[in-house]
Amino acid sequence: MQLAQIGWRMSAVCIIFFLLTVLPAGAQKPPQDHSQIYKQAVALVEQAEKKLAGNYTAEAKALVKEANSLFGILVKELPEQLKERQLTLKQDEQYNINQKMAADSSAQGERMEKSAQEKQRQSETLDAQGQKEAAIKLQQEAVREFNLANKAYLRAQIYHLKNLQQVYSFLYR
């Protein structure tokens, strides 16, 4: 189960980078109201941030996924505007801050995840040795650290989405 969680977190971060760098323009679809998509994505990011702060991790995860999908539409349908877009000095500063915060959150998640994996291994060893109480205590700590790692990864994704918000802010009407 932990490998699935690790895989999801890492793939979610990779998807964001993929959408920003590799995604082709694709087939022509009927024009969508990009301004409305942008506003909806921004609202979802704000809601996700609030849910994460309130320890509603599953809800935050769903909101992040939906916001990422909406920003993906913008990346796919507006590649020329993205290339031509210049951030203001203030936006560029905020972009850099968000990048650093995302990297820090991701690193924190990795540290917590490694610690949790080690505690889980120790718990399994103690359980095999018949030290049930110590094993249970370590397993509980591992679960707590896995949850903290998950929150850190979500926080990193939110910072990346905030950068997409900065980039597409010209759509706000």
Side-chain angles (χ1 to χ4, degrees), residues 106-129:
S106 186
Q108 179 187 14
E110 289 174 15
R111 286 189 304 274
M112 295 301 292
E113 191 168 28
K114 286 178 184 176
S115 176
Q117 289 171 340
E118 181 58 34
K119 286 181 180 171
Q120 185 170 0
R121 281 191 288 275
Q122 290 172 355
S123 172
E124 291 168 358
T125 301
L126 289 173
D127 190 42
Q129 295 171 351

Side-chain angles (χ1 to χ4, degrees), residues 36-48:
Q36 189 61 31
I37 292 171
Y38 172 81
K39 288 176 187 175
Q40 187 177 2
V42 168
L44 290 169
V45 171
E46 290 173 6
Q47 290 174 22

Side-chain angles (χ1 to χ4, degrees), residues 1-170:
M1 176 149 176
Q2 289 80 16
L3 289 177
Q5 291 174 343
I6 293 168
W8 177 86
R9 289 184 207 114
M10 296 311 286
S11 61
V13 171
C14 291
I15 287 171
I16 291 171
F17 290 119
F18 172 79
L19 288 173
L20 289 174
T21 58
V22 182
L23 198 62
Q28 291 295 325
K29 295 181 182 178
Q32 297 190 29
D33 185 357
H34 295 114
S35 176
Q36 189 61 31
I37 292 171
Y38 172 81
K39 288 176 187 175
Q40 187 177 2
V42 168
L44 290 169
V45 171
E46 290 173 6
Q47 290 174 22
E49 200 168 22
K50 289 177 184 174
K51 291 290 185 181
L52 189 59
N55 288 321
Y56 297 103
T57 309
E59 291 92 338
K61 180 180 172 181
L63 292 166
V64 163
K65 184 177 179 180
E66 190 174 348
N68 189 44
S69 176
L70 291 175
F71 276 119
I73 291 169
L74 296 177
V75 169
K76 185 175 181 179
E77 292 184 3
L78 301 173
E80 288 81 26
Q81 291 88 334
L82 182 62
K83 291 176 187 174
E84 297 169 0
R85 180 77 174 123
Q86 292 291 324
L87 297 177
T88 65
L89 182 58
K90 185 176 179 178
Q91 287 174 324
D92 192 46
E93 288 173 3
Q94 187 61 51
Y95 187 94
N96 291 330
I97 290 169
N98 288 345
Q99 285 284 86
K100 179 166 180 12
M101 297 297 286
D104 291 348
S105 291
S106 186
Q108 179 187 14
E110 289 174 15
R111 286 189 304 274
M112 295 301 292
E113 191 168 28
K114 286 178 184 176
S115 176
Q117 289 171 340
E118 181 58 34
K119 286 181 180 171
Q120 185 170 0
R121 281 191 288 275
Q122 290 172 355
S123 172
E124 291 168 358
T125 301
L126 289 173
D127 190 42
Q129 295 171 351
Q131 299 179 27
K132 301 289 185 198
E133 287 183 36
I136 290 171
K137 185 175 180 180
L138 267 178
Q139 183 62 33
Q140 289 171 341
E141 288 180 33
V143 168
R144 184 183 66 80
E145 287 184 3
F146 274 123
N147 289 335
L148 290 172
N150 193 29
K151 284 181 73 172
Y153 287 130
L154 281 171
R155 200 174 311 110
Q157 291 174 26
I158 288 171
Y159 283 119
H160 286 296
L161 290 171
K162 284 184 170 197
N163 275 348
L164 287 173
Q165 180 180 340
Q166 291 284 331
V167 170
Y168 286 102
S169 63
F170 68 93

